[in-house]
Amino acid sequence: MPKTSLYTVFVRSLEVYAYHGVPAEERVLGHRYVIDVEMEVEGRADSTDKVSDSVDYSAAAKLIEAVVRDEQCHTIERLAAMIADSLLEEFRFITEVSVSVEKPLPPMPLIAEAAGVRMVKQR
């Protein structure tokens, strides 16, 4: 059996329209969210050439989209935690996951390109 290797599987700039936020209006009107995920993986795909020996980034992206679209949170911290927990639960090869959730042009009394949070969780 091939030895495992350590590597990072990532998804960058996944955009999902969803309904999160503190003000009720944000949870009704919605907003665009941009998600970046880096998954530290202990896998064998580099030896076996099988996606089943790693983390399928397409499947991970679909899971992230489902969490962002189907859940409703007041804070993006909670949303990032839910994404991280779902990825750790679904993909056994992930040892650590870093999730960034960005809200472009956030609704606030100042102009900012984006606001967001980055969270790291380990198995």
Side-chain angles (χ1 to χ4, degrees):
M1 168 142 20
K3 289 185 177 185
T4 60
S5 296
L6 302 176
Y7 47 89
T8 303
V9 174
F10 60 89
V11 176
R12 288 197 189 121
S13 299
L14 177 66
E15 294 190 23
V16 181
Y17 198 87
Y19 303 87
H20 307 283
V22 174
E25 296 82 7
E26 279 190 281
R27 292 189 311 277
V28 172
L29 297 174
H31 201 92
R32 182 170 54 104
Y33 294 84
V34 180
I35 298 93
D36 292 332
V37 175
E38 290 189 0
M39 299 162 281
E40 301 305 319
V41 173
E42 187 172 344
R44 295 183 192 87
D46 58 315
S47 298
T48 66
D49 203 26
K50 295 180 182 176
V51 174
S52 60
D53 286 332
S54 185
V55 173
D56 179 345
Y57 57 79
S58 177
K62 288 177 186 176
L63 177 62
I64 295 164
E65 178 194 28
V67 170
V68 175
R69 188 189 60 236
D70 297 343
E71 300 295 335
Q72 195 170 53
C73 304
H74 287 115
T75 66
I76 55 177
E77 290 84 351
R78 178 69 186 133
L79 181 59
M82 292 176 76
I83 293 167
D85 291 341
S86 295
L87 290 166
L88 287 168
E89 184 177 312
E90 182 70 23
F91 300 101
R92 64 186 170 101
F93 293 116
I94 297 175
T95 60
E96 180 178 289
V97 62
S98 172
V99 177
S100 297
V101 178
E102 181 179 301
K103 186 184 283 191
L105 302 172
M108 62 181 186
L110 300 168
I111 304 299
E113 183 178 319
V117 65
R118 180 174 180 261
M119 177 176 292
V120 177
K121 285 199 172 197
Q122 298 174 334
R123 187 171 301 284

